[in-house]
Amino acid sequence: MTRARARPGEALVVAALLAAGVLIAHGWCLADGTVLDDWWHQKGLREHGWSPPELLRTLVIAPGDFTHLWWQTREVRFEYARPLFILCMKLAYGVVGGNDPLALHALSLLLHYAAALMVWQLCRWVTGSAPWSVLGAIIFVIYPHAGITVAWPSSQNCLLQTVFMLGALLCYLRASGLRSPLEPPAGEAAPLRRGPLLAAVLLWVLALFSRENALMLPAVLGALDLALGGWRTVRRRVGAYGLMAVIAVAFVAWRSAVVSDGLPDVYMRRPEGDLPAYAAWAFAKLVHYVAAAVWVAPMMVGPTG
Protein backbone atom coordinates (compact mmCIF):
# COMPACT_ATOMS: atom_id res chain seq x y z
CA MET A 1 0.00 0.00 0.00
CA THR A 2 1.46 3.36 -1.01
CA ARG A 3 0.23 5.37 1.98
CA ALA A 4 2.00 3.05 4.42
CA ARG A 5 5.25 2.93 2.46
CA ALA A 6 7.90 5.54 3.24
CA ARG A 7 9.63 7.43 0.46
CA PRO A 8 13.45 7.02 0.24
CA GLY A 9 14.07 10.64 1.29
CA GLU A 10 11.77 10.25 4.26
CA ALA A 11 13.58 7.10 5.38
CA LEU A 12 16.96 8.88 5.37
CA VAL A 13 15.61 11.79 7.39
CA VAL A 14 14.00 9.46 9.93
CA ALA A 15 17.16 7.36 10.21
CA ALA A 16 19.21 10.47 11.00
CA LEU A 17 16.58 11.77 13.44
CA LEU A 18 16.42 8.49 15.35
CA ALA A 19 20.21 8.20 15.44
CA ALA A 20 20.36 11.66 17.03
CA GLY A 21 17.62 10.68 19.47
CA VAL A 22 19.42 7.52 20.57
CA LEU A 23 22.69 9.42 21.10
CA ILE A 24 21.01 12.25 23.01
CA ALA A 25 18.96 9.93 25.23
CA HIS A 26 21.49 7.15 25.77
CA GLY A 27 24.89 8.20 24.44
CA TRP A 28 26.10 8.98 27.95
CA CYS A 29 26.22 5.23 28.65
CA LEU A 30 29.45 4.99 26.65
CA ALA A 31 31.25 6.31 29.74
CA ASP A 32 29.47 4.02 32.23
CA GLY A 33 32.17 1.35 32.34
CA THR A 34 31.41 -1.83 34.35
CA VAL A 35 28.61 -2.06 36.93
CA LEU A 36 26.72 -4.71 38.94
CA ASP A 37 26.57 -8.11 37.15
CA ASP A 38 28.92 -6.82 34.44
CA TRP A 39 31.89 -7.58 36.67
CA TRP A 40 31.00 -11.26 36.89
CA HIS A 41 30.07 -11.59 33.22
CA GLN A 42 33.22 -9.87 32.01
CA LYS A 43 35.37 -11.97 34.33
CA GLY A 44 33.86 -15.08 32.73
CA LEU A 45 34.28 -13.66 29.23
CA ARG A 46 38.00 -13.23 29.89
CA GLU A 47 38.55 -16.60 31.59
CA HIS A 48 36.21 -19.02 29.78
CA GLY A 49 36.48 -20.33 26.24
CA TRP A 50 34.21 -20.39 23.19
CA SER A 51 32.60 -23.82 23.54
CA PRO A 52 28.85 -23.89 24.32
CA PRO A 53 29.35 -25.29 27.87
CA GLU A 54 31.89 -22.59 28.68
CA LEU A 55 29.68 -19.86 27.25
CA LEU A 56 26.76 -21.07 29.38
CA ARG A 57 29.09 -21.26 32.39
CA THR A 58 29.80 -17.56 31.90
CA LEU A 59 26.08 -16.90 32.41
CA VAL A 60 26.04 -18.55 35.85
CA ILE A 61 26.18 -16.01 38.67
CA ALA A 62 27.02 -17.64 42.00
CA PRO A 63 28.00 -15.01 44.60
CA GLY A 64 29.11 -17.78 46.96
CA ASP A 65 32.05 -18.43 44.64
CA PHE A 66 33.68 -15.11 45.53
CA THR A 67 32.18 -13.99 48.82
CA HIS A 68 30.88 -15.54 52.04
CA LEU A 69 28.12 -14.04 54.14
CA TRP A 70 27.88 -15.48 57.65
CA TRP A 71 24.10 -14.99 57.78
CA GLN A 72 23.43 -16.75 54.48
CA THR A 73 21.95 -20.20 55.06
CA ARG A 74 21.53 -21.32 51.44
CA GLU A 75 23.31 -20.67 48.19
CA VAL A 76 22.08 -17.95 45.86
CA ARG A 77 22.66 -18.93 42.26
CA PHE A 78 21.46 -17.49 38.95
CA GLU A 79 21.63 -19.73 35.91
CA TYR A 80 20.54 -18.74 32.41
CA ALA A 81 20.34 -20.40 28.98
CA ARG A 82 21.08 -17.51 26.64
CA PRO A 83 23.99 -18.67 24.48
CA LEU A 84 23.55 -16.16 21.67
CA PHE A 85 23.51 -13.27 24.14
CA ILE A 86 26.75 -14.33 25.81
CA LEU A 87 28.37 -15.13 22.44
CA CYS A 88 27.62 -11.59 21.22
CA MET A 89 29.03 -10.21 24.46
CA LYS A 90 32.21 -12.25 24.04
CA LEU A 91 32.67 -11.08 20.45
CA ALA A 92 32.07 -7.42 21.33
CA TYR A 93 34.03 -7.42 24.58
CA GLY A 94 36.95 -9.70 23.78
CA VAL A 95 37.37 -9.60 20.00
CA VAL A 96 36.20 -6.11 18.99
CA GLY A 97 36.81 -4.22 22.22
CA GLY A 98 39.96 -5.89 23.51
CA ASN A 99 38.33 -6.44 26.94
CA ASP A 100 37.13 -2.84 27.07
CA PRO A 101 33.45 -2.43 28.15
CA LEU A 102 33.14 0.54 25.79
CA ALA A 103 32.52 -1.92 22.95
CA LEU A 104 29.60 -3.47 24.85
CA HIS A 105 28.00 -0.07 25.41
CA ALA A 106 28.44 0.82 21.73
CA LEU A 107 26.76 -2.45 20.75
CA SER A 108 23.83 -1.67 23.03
CA LEU A 109 23.38 1.70 21.35
CA LEU A 110 23.44 0.09 17.90
CA LEU A 111 20.90 -2.54 18.93
CA HIS A 112 18.53 0.06 20.37
CA TYR A 113 18.89 2.12 17.20
CA ALA A 114 18.12 -0.89 15.00
CA ALA A 115 15.03 -1.65 17.09
CA ALA A 116 13.87 1.98 16.81
CA LEU A 117 14.10 1.83 13.02
CA MET A 118 11.95 -1.31 12.96
CA VAL A 119 9.42 0.23 15.35
CA TRP A 120 9.20 3.15 12.93
CA GLN A 121 8.55 0.74 10.05
CA LEU A 122 5.78 -0.97 12.01
CA CYS A 123 4.22 2.35 12.96
CA ARG A 124 4.40 3.47 9.33
CA TRP A 125 2.62 0.29 8.25
CA VAL A 126 -0.08 0.66 10.90
CA THR A 127 -0.80 4.39 10.60
CA GLY A 128 0.30 5.37 7.09
CA SER A 129 1.32 8.67 8.67
CA ALA A 130 4.88 10.02 8.57
CA PRO A 131 4.55 12.26 11.68
CA TRP A 132 2.77 9.66 13.85
CA SER A 133 5.18 6.88 12.91
CA VAL A 134 8.16 9.08 13.83
CA LEU A 135 6.51 9.94 17.13
CA GLY A 136 5.99 6.25 17.87
CA ALA A 137 9.66 5.50 17.20
CA ILE A 138 10.83 8.42 19.35
CA ILE A 139 8.63 7.26 22.23
CA PHE A 140 10.30 3.86 21.93
CA VAL A 141 13.77 5.49 21.95
CA ILE A 142 13.16 7.53 25.11
CA TYR A 143 10.90 5.09 26.99
CA PRO A 144 12.18 5.34 30.60
CA HIS A 145 12.51 1.58 31.11
CA ALA A 146 14.97 1.54 28.21
CA GLY A 147 17.31 3.77 30.21
CA ILE A 148 18.69 0.80 32.13
CA THR A 149 18.53 -1.85 29.40
CA VAL A 150 20.58 0.30 27.03
CA ALA A 151 23.08 1.47 29.65
CA TRP A 152 23.66 -1.86 31.38
CA PRO A 153 25.53 -4.46 29.24
CA SER A 154 24.26 -7.36 31.37
CA SER A 155 20.74 -6.60 30.13
CA GLN A 156 21.84 -6.71 26.49
CA ASN A 157 19.80 -9.90 26.15
CA CYS A 158 16.70 -7.69 26.17
CA LEU A 159 18.03 -5.58 23.32
CA LEU A 160 19.03 -8.59 21.23
CA GLN A 161 15.69 -10.26 21.79
CA THR A 162 13.81 -7.08 20.86
CA VAL A 163 15.74 -6.65 17.61
CA PHE A 164 15.21 -10.28 16.56
CA MET A 165 11.53 -10.24 17.57
CA LEU A 166 10.83 -7.06 15.62
CA GLY A 167 12.69 -8.46 12.63
CA ALA A 168 10.67 -11.67 12.84
CA LEU A 169 7.43 -9.70 13.01
CA LEU A 170 8.33 -7.62 9.95
CA CYS A 171 9.30 -10.77 8.02
CA TYR A 172 6.05 -12.45 9.01
CA LEU A 173 4.06 -9.47 7.76
CA ARG A 174 5.83 -9.82 4.43
CA ALA A 175 5.25 -13.58 4.40
CA SER A 176 1.59 -13.38 5.29
CA GLY A 177 0.54 -10.62 2.93
CA LEU A 178 -1.64 -9.12 5.66
CA ARG A 179 -3.09 -5.79 4.68
CA SER A 180 -2.45 -2.69 6.71
CA PRO A 181 -5.32 -1.70 9.03
CA LEU A 182 -5.76 1.27 6.66
CA GLU A 183 -6.86 -1.03 3.85
CA PRO A 184 -10.09 -3.03 3.57
CA PRO A 185 -9.60 -6.71 4.51
CA ALA A 186 -8.87 -9.13 1.71
CA GLY A 187 -11.57 -11.58 0.75
CA GLU A 188 -9.26 -14.60 0.84
CA ALA A 189 -6.14 -15.16 2.94
CA ALA A 190 -3.02 -15.25 0.80
CA PRO A 191 -0.74 -18.29 1.15
CA LEU A 192 2.36 -17.76 3.25
CA ARG A 193 5.50 -16.94 1.28
CA ARG A 194 8.16 -19.46 2.24
CA GLY A 195 11.23 -17.23 2.07
CA PRO A 196 10.04 -14.49 4.44
CA LEU A 197 8.39 -17.11 6.68
CA LEU A 198 11.65 -19.03 7.09
CA ALA A 199 13.42 -15.73 7.81
CA ALA A 200 10.82 -14.94 10.48
CA VAL A 201 11.24 -18.37 12.09
CA LEU A 202 15.05 -18.08 12.03
CA LEU A 203 14.97 -14.65 13.65
CA TRP A 204 12.57 -15.98 16.26
CA VAL A 205 14.94 -18.84 17.10
CA LEU A 206 17.76 -16.31 17.50
CA ALA A 207 15.51 -14.34 19.85
CA LEU A 208 14.81 -17.50 21.89
CA PHE A 209 18.53 -18.10 22.40
CA SER A 210 18.92 -14.47 23.44
CA ARG A 211 16.14 -14.37 26.05
CA GLU A 212 13.56 -17.00 26.92
CA ASN A 213 10.37 -14.95 26.88
CA ALA A 214 10.63 -14.70 23.09
CA LEU A 215 8.34 -17.73 23.34
CA MET A 216 5.47 -15.24 23.25
CA LEU A 217 5.94 -14.37 19.54
CA PRO A 218 3.66 -17.10 18.07
CA ALA A 219 0.81 -15.79 20.23
CA VAL A 220 1.46 -12.27 18.91
CA LEU A 221 1.45 -13.51 15.31
CA GLY A 222 -1.75 -15.47 15.85
CA ALA A 223 -3.45 -12.42 17.35
CA LEU A 224 -2.30 -10.35 14.38
CA ASP A 225 -3.69 -12.87 11.90
CA LEU A 226 -6.99 -12.97 13.78
CA ALA A 227 -7.30 -9.18 14.04
CA LEU A 228 -6.49 -8.41 10.41
CA GLY A 229 -7.53 -11.59 8.59
CA GLY A 230 -10.18 -13.26 10.75
CA TRP A 231 -10.59 -16.94 11.61
CA ARG A 232 -10.25 -17.97 7.98
CA THR A 233 -6.69 -16.63 7.95
CA VAL A 234 -5.92 -18.28 11.28
CA ARG A 235 -7.06 -21.65 9.94
CA ARG A 236 -4.88 -21.29 6.85
CA ARG A 237 -1.87 -20.60 9.08
CA VAL A 238 -2.20 -23.75 11.19
CA GLY A 239 0.86 -25.31 9.55
CA ALA A 240 3.04 -22.33 10.46
CA TYR A 241 1.71 -22.31 14.02
CA GLY A 242 2.43 -26.04 14.26
CA LEU A 243 6.03 -25.51 13.15
CA MET A 244 6.51 -22.82 15.79
CA ALA A 245 4.89 -25.03 18.43
CA VAL A 246 7.38 -27.81 17.69
CA ILE A 247 10.27 -25.36 17.94
CA ALA A 248 8.92 -23.93 21.20
CA VAL A 249 8.59 -27.39 22.79
CA ALA A 250 12.10 -28.32 21.64
CA PHE A 251 13.50 -25.10 23.09
CA VAL A 252 11.79 -25.62 26.45
CA ALA A 253 13.09 -29.21 26.57
CA TRP A 254 16.62 -28.03 25.77
CA ARG A 255 16.49 -25.29 28.38
CA SER A 256 15.20 -27.71 31.01
CA ALA A 257 18.14 -29.99 30.22
CA VAL A 258 20.86 -27.34 30.51
CA VAL A 259 19.45 -25.30 33.41
CA SER A 260 19.00 -27.13 36.68
CA ASP A 261 17.73 -24.28 38.87
CA GLY A 262 17.47 -20.95 37.11
CA LEU A 263 16.61 -18.41 39.80
CA PRO A 264 16.75 -18.35 43.60
CA ASP A 265 13.47 -18.90 45.43
CA VAL A 266 13.40 -15.29 46.59
CA TYR A 267 12.92 -14.19 42.97
CA MET A 268 10.18 -16.60 41.97
CA ARG A 269 7.52 -18.93 43.31
CA ARG A 270 6.34 -22.32 42.09
CA PRO A 271 3.04 -24.03 42.97
CA GLU A 272 3.63 -26.62 45.68
CA GLY A 273 0.25 -28.08 46.49
CA ASP A 274 -1.24 -24.61 47.03
CA LEU A 275 -2.67 -23.87 43.59
CA PRO A 276 -5.35 -21.32 44.74
CA ALA A 277 -2.77 -19.31 46.67
CA TYR A 278 -0.32 -19.57 43.79
CA ALA A 279 -2.99 -18.40 41.31
CA ALA A 280 -3.70 -15.36 43.48
CA TRP A 281 0.02 -14.59 43.69
CA ALA A 282 0.45 -14.96 39.91
CA PHE A 283 -2.52 -12.66 39.25
CA ALA A 284 -1.13 -10.04 41.63
CA LYS A 285 2.25 -10.28 39.87
CA LEU A 286 0.58 -9.77 36.48
CA VAL A 287 -1.29 -6.70 37.73
CA HIS A 288 1.97 -5.40 39.19
CA TYR A 289 3.80 -5.72 35.86
CA VAL A 290 0.97 -4.21 33.81
CA ALA A 291 0.62 -1.28 36.23
CA ALA A 292 4.38 -0.68 36.24
CA ALA A 293 4.48 -0.72 32.43
CA VAL A 294 1.74 1.95 32.30
CA TRP A 295 2.91 3.93 35.32
CA VAL A 296 6.53 4.33 34.36
CA ALA A 297 8.52 3.60 37.51
CA PRO A 298 11.60 1.58 36.47
CA MET A 299 12.43 0.21 39.91
CA MET A 300 8.90 -1.20 40.17
CA VAL A 301 9.55 -3.64 37.35
CA GLY A 302 13.25 -4.19 37.73
CA PRO A 303 16.11 -3.22 35.46
CA THR A 304 15.28 -5.66 32.66
CA GLY A 305 11.61 -6.38 33.27
Side-chain angles (χ1 to χ4, degrees):
M1 155 168 191
T2 55
R3 285 182 61 199
R5 191 174 301 154
R7 296 182 298 274
E10 177 190 341
L12 290 174
V13 171
V14 171
L17 180 63
L18 293 180
V22 169
L23 288 175
I24 292 171
H26 304 284
W28 45 266
C29 78
L30 291 171
D32 277 358
T34 304
V35 296
L36 299 173
D37 296 351
D38 294 343
W39 295 101
W40 183 254
H41 281 143
Q42 290 170 24
K43 178 178 182 293
L45 292 172
R46 292 190 300 269
E47 297 177 357
H48 301 155
W50 292 85
S51 68
E54 288 182 286
L55 288 173
L56 292 177
R57 182 184 171 195
T58 304
L59 286 166
V60 175
I61 300 177
D65 290 348
F66 54 88
T67 186
H68 175 69
L69 304 176
W70 62 268
W71 64 83
Q72 188 170 321
T73 58
R74 55 182 175 174
E75 180 185 12
V76 175
R77 178 183 175 90
F78 301 82
E79 190 175 349
Y80 301 98
R82 299 167 181 173
L84 184 58
F85 155 59
I86 203 65
L87 176 61
C88 289
M89 283 193 79
K90 193 167 181 66
L91 287 169
Y93 179 70
V95 177
V96 177
N99 294 341
D100 187 337
L102 175 65
L104 290 172
H105 291 295
L107 176 59
S108 291
L109 288 176
L110 289 174
L111 289 170
H112 194 53
Y113 175 58
L117 289 174
M118 287 187 278
V119 168
W120 167 70
Q121 285 185 284
L122 286 170
C123 291
R124 196 70 169 84
W125 179 75
V126 170
T127 67
S129 164
W132 285 112
S133 57
V134 171
L135 178 61
I138 290 176
I139 289 174
F140 174 83
V141 166
I142 65 174
Y143 181 55
H145 286 302
I148 298 177
T149 53
V150 177
W152 187 25
S154 289
S155 65
Q156 210 167 76
N157 54 82
C158 300
L159 301 174
L160 278 169
Q161 180 216 38
T162 301
V163 168
F164 289 133
M165 292 272 276
L166 287 169
L169 180 54
L170 287 170
C171 286
Y172 186 81
L173 288 175
R174 183 176 292 273
S176 66
L178 287 173
R179 291 172 177 252
S180 163
L182 299 172
E183 295 183 285
E188 185 70 24
L192 286 168
R193 296 169 58 191
R194 290 186 180 180
L197 177 61
L198 289 176
V201 171
L202 175 60
L203 289 168
W204 176 52
V205 170
L206 295 177
L208 285 172
F209 286 109
S210 301
R211 187 175 174 88
E212 298 87 338
N213 57 358
L215 281 167
M216 66 183 287
L217 183 65
V220 173
L221 300 182
L224 189 66
D225 283 333
L226 179 61
L228 298 181
W231 285 110
R232 181 181 299 178
T233 299
V234 172
R235 287 192 293 270
R236 293 200 65 174
R237 305 289 191 255
V238 168
Y241 303 149
L243 172 63
M244 288 185 282
V246 170
I247 293 173
V249 170
F251 172 79
V252 171
W254 170 81
R255 188 186 183 280
S256 300
V258 300
V259 174
S260 56
D261 192 10
L263 293 176
D265 292 343
V266 294
Y267 283 87
M268 63 181 300
R269 181 174 181 229
R270 298 181 177 89
E272 297 176 353
D274 58 345
L275 194 56
Y278 175 79
W281 172 86
F283 178 74
K285 182 65 70 174
L286 175 63
V287 172
H288 166 85
Y289 270 79
V290 171
V294 175
W295 170 50
V296 181
M299 293 310 294
M300 288 291 291
V301 172
T304 61

